[in-house]
Amino acid sequence: MKDFVIIGHKALTSGDFSLNDLPGSAGRMDILCRCVNSALFLSHGMRRDVNVHLVLQGEPDPAKVVRFNGEKLKYLNPDERSSGSLIKKALEKDAIEYETQSTPGVYIRRAGLEQLLNEFSEAGRDIYYLKEDGEDIREYSELNSDAVFILGDHMGVTEEEEVMIDRVAKCTLNIGPISLHSDHCMIIIHNELDMREA
Amino acid sequence: MKDFVIIGHKALTSGDFSLNDLPGSAGRMDILCRCVNSALFLSHGMRRDVNVHLVLQGEPDPAKVVRFNGEKLKYLNPDERSSGSLIKKALEKDAIEYETQSTPGVYIRRAGLEQLLNEFSEAGRDIYYLKEDGEDIREYSELNSDAVFILGDHMGVTEEEEVMIDRVAKCTLNIGPISLHSDHCMIIIHNELDMREA
Ligand SMILES: C[S@@+](CC[C@H](N)C(=O)[O-])C[C@H]1O[C@@H](n2cnc3c(N)ncnc32)[C@H](O)[C@@H]1O
Ligand SMILES: C[S@@+](CC[C@H](N)C(=O)[O-])C[C@H]1O[C@@H](n2cnc3c(N)ncnc32)[C@H](O)[C@@H]1O
């Protein structure tokens, strides 16, 4: 399993937003929608061995985690509005300590970045922090396909979050010489893993 | 300059579609919208040395080419609806033989794939056809940053189109062992060029 974690600093924590304005009405939810697409879609089908965890930290009721599971997922199309509508449906459910499935393969619970990191760490997973000044992913030989990748949104990663991540991360990885959008970084991570697995 | 050409086999050739349903009402225009994003966006800013050419071959008035020019571009945000709305504005203009600018950095004209390919070929540009069975882009040493990249959409590239492309292409390139969406392929092409230019 590959797990992608993306932090949505302003992403709304209620379903009270418009699919016609994902950037404005939903706290840059468009970024998270594109991350869902990048993490999961192949030309003809879905990457079944992937989870994407959206850490929603915006108003009115932070923090919540929405998880897309490639194995169980249904009703997802590649356009932003499609993932946006599944996120909206998840946010219309009550978020409790345990995951509730809102639609096939989409789950919501009350949790934040720290808890998610602790769970991955306790499960013994290799956790990688994606950052512009990290080690070159192409040169990093230990990368395996059972890894967890942590990425920031348009605001990057705060200092506090970075302290939490550094505590559990195996190392910091760079995907190229330029700072890119998080969804673009995911494509490059997948490509690197695809090349190694081929 | 880097030029990306993406063929939209069903993409509408009038502005008569709904931004609320880019996949259905506009002939999978969502694919082209994501290609615009992938070709042009950096984390903070735009790739100024890039053109994206959308070859629209759908009803009611094919073919037309909409060009996004990174150097002159304004009013583009990363979400699909934003590029969709600039494409719609372009399609609301009359398409004639010469380019008409619809909004800053977005141009429309009446042209098709063959003409576009001939223009690039006459300008002496290196043209690359992106295809699953091509040469590994990482191993291809001659790649330069003044290249033209031709990609298909969800329907791939037809046999007829392939004949036209093969006539002018320098070679066929592969970006990884799995067939991916066109917008994802563009990210990997950029990454490869970024690594070489760094
Ligand atoms: C839009 S970038 C953040 C931009 C910038 N760091 C900031 O704080 O405004 C979103 C995320 O993508 C990842 N990222 C972007 N470019 C990267 C690169 N070249 N290498 C590794 N990770 C990258 C990082 O996780 C980053 O937090
Ligand atoms: C969604 S794919 C097309 C899928 C499939 N070839 C078909 O005909 O249904 C869209 C385009 O991306 C490009 N592409 C996809 N995967 C690729 C790969 N691994 N290497 C090179 N190009 C690729 C090709 O240009 C292709 O036409």
Side-chain angles (χ1 to χ4, degrees):
Chain A
M1 211 73 195
K2 295 164 193 118
D3 286 84
F4 291 90
V5 176
I6 162 88
I7 310 170
H9 290 97
K10 298 286 174 197
L12 225 67
T13 41
S14 84
D16 196 18
F17 58 84
S18 164
L19 294 175
N20 297 341
D21 182 15
L22 291 167
S25 74
R28 295 307 310 276
M29 196 68 82
D30 63 309
I31 299 175
L32 306 191
C33 292
R34 286 192 294 280
C35 284
V36 168
N37 169 306
S38 288
L40 289 165
F41 275 98
L42 292 173
S43 174
H44 300 285
M46 206 81 86
R47 292 186 185 267
R48 296 293 170 191
D49 62 339
V50 168
N51 282 302
V52 199
H53 309 258
L54 313 176
V55 182
L56 312 178
Q57 300 186 342
E59 293 300 320
D61 189 22
K64 295 180 181 177
V65 173
V66 174
R67 176 168 72 100
F68 281 73
N69 173 259
E71 198 186 338
K72 303 274 166 62
L73 201 57
K74 284 194 185 152
Y75 313 129
L76 181 69
N77 288 317
D79 59 302
E80 281 168 25
R81 211 181 156 90
S82 173
S83 41
S85 113
L86 296 183
I87 295 169
K88 190 174 159 79
K89 286 205 179 95
L91 286 169
E92 282 161 358
K93 294 266 170 194
D94 281 335
I96 56 169
E97 188 189 344
Y98 302 101
E99 282 190 330
T100 306
Q101 178 169 281
S102 46
T103 53
V106 185
Y107 309 83
I108 184 151
R109 61 172 164 154
R110 180 163 302 285
L113 180 64
E114 187 157 27
Q115 184 179 336
L116 209 51
L117 291 171
N118 287 340
E119 289 167 4
F120 285 127
S121 176
E122 279 160 26
R125 302 282 297 277
D126 287 348
I127 300 172
Y128 296 105
Y129 174 29
L130 273 290
K131 207 187 165 187
E132 287 79 351
D133 65 2
E135 283 182 56
D136 182 350
I137 192 171
R138 290 199 189 183
E139 302 294 321
Y140 185 77
S141 59
E142 286 173 58
L143 198 63
N144 69 57
S145 38
D146 189 48
V148 181
F149 301 95
I150 318 284
L151 298 103
D153 61 1
H154 62 301
M155 303 173 70
V157 172
T158 67
E159 277 179 39
E160 273 175 33
E161 288 161 351
E162 193 154 283
V163 170
M164 285 183 217
I165 299 171
D166 284 338
R167 206 152 42 208
V168 295
K170 193 167 171 195
C171 86
T172 301
L173 291 178
N174 161 292
I175 51 76
I178 310 184
S179 182
L180 300 181
H181 283 204
S182 348
D183 58 315
H184 297 175
C185 295
M186 290 181 179
I187 296 297
I188 298 168
I189 297 168
H190 270 316
N191 181 243
E192 184 59 31
L193 289 169
D194 290 344
M195 304 283 262
R196 293 183 190 209
E197 285 165 30
Chain B
M1 211 73 192
K2 295 163 193 119
D3 286 84
F4 291 90
V5 176
I6 161 90
I7 310 169
H9 290 97
K10 298 286 172 195
L12 226 67
T13 42
S14 84
D16 195 18
F17 57 84
S18 164
L19 295 175
N20 297 342
D21 182 16
L22 291 167
S25 73
R28 294 307 309 274
M29 195 68 84
D30 63 309
I31 298 175
L32 306 190
C33 292
R34 286 192 295 279
C35 285
V36 169
N37 168 306
S38 288
L40 289 165
F41 276 98
L42 292 174
S43 174
H44 300 285
M46 207 81 86
R47 292 185 185 268
R48 296 292 169 192
D49 63 338
V50 168
N51 281 304
V52 200
H53 309 259
L54 313 177
V55 182
L56 313 179
Q57 301 187 341
E59 292 302 318
D61 189 21
K64 296 181 180 175
V65 173
V66 174
R67 176 168 72 101
F68 281 72
N69 172 258
E71 199 187 337
K72 303 274 165 62
L73 201 57
K74 284 192 184 154
Y75 313 130
L76 180 68
N77 288 318
D79 59 304
E80 281 168 25
R81 210 182 156 89
S82 172
S83 41
S85 112
L86 296 183
I87 296 169
K88 190 175 160 80
K89 287 204 178 94
L91 286 169
E92 283 161 358
K93 294 266 170 198
D94 280 336
I96 56 169
E97 189 189 343
Y98 301 102
E99 283 190 331
T100 306
Q101 177 169 280
S102 46
T103 53
V106 184
Y107 309 83
I108 184 150
R109 61 171 164 154
R110 180 164 304 286
L113 180 66
E114 188 156 28
Q115 184 179 336
L116 209 51
L117 291 171
N118 287 340
E119 291 167 3
F120 286 126
S121 175
E122 280 160 25
R125 302 281 298 276
D126 287 348
I127 301 173
Y128 296 105
Y129 173 30
L130 273 289
K131 206 186 165 188
E132 286 80 350
D133 65 1
E135 284 182 56
D136 182 351
I137 193 170
R138 289 200 189 182
E139 302 294 321
Y140 184 77
S141 60
E142 285 173 57
L143 199 64
N144 69 56
S145 37
D146 189 49
V148 181
F149 300 95
I150 319 284
L151 297 103
D153 61 0
H154 62 301
M155 302 172 70
V157 171
T158 67
E159 276 178 38
E160 276 175 32
E161 289 161 351
E162 193 154 284
V163 171
M164 287 183 216
I165 300 171
D166 284 338
R167 206 153 43 210
V168 295
K170 192 167 173 196
C171 87
T172 301
L173 292 178
N174 161 292
I175 51 78
I178 311 186
S179 180
L180 301 182
H181 284 204
S182 346
D183 58 315
H184 296 176
C185 295
M186 290 180 177
I187 296 296
I188 297 167
I189 297 168
H190 269 316
N191 182 242
E192 185 59 31
L193 289 168
D194 291 344
M195 303 284 263
R196 291 183 190 207
E197 286 166 28

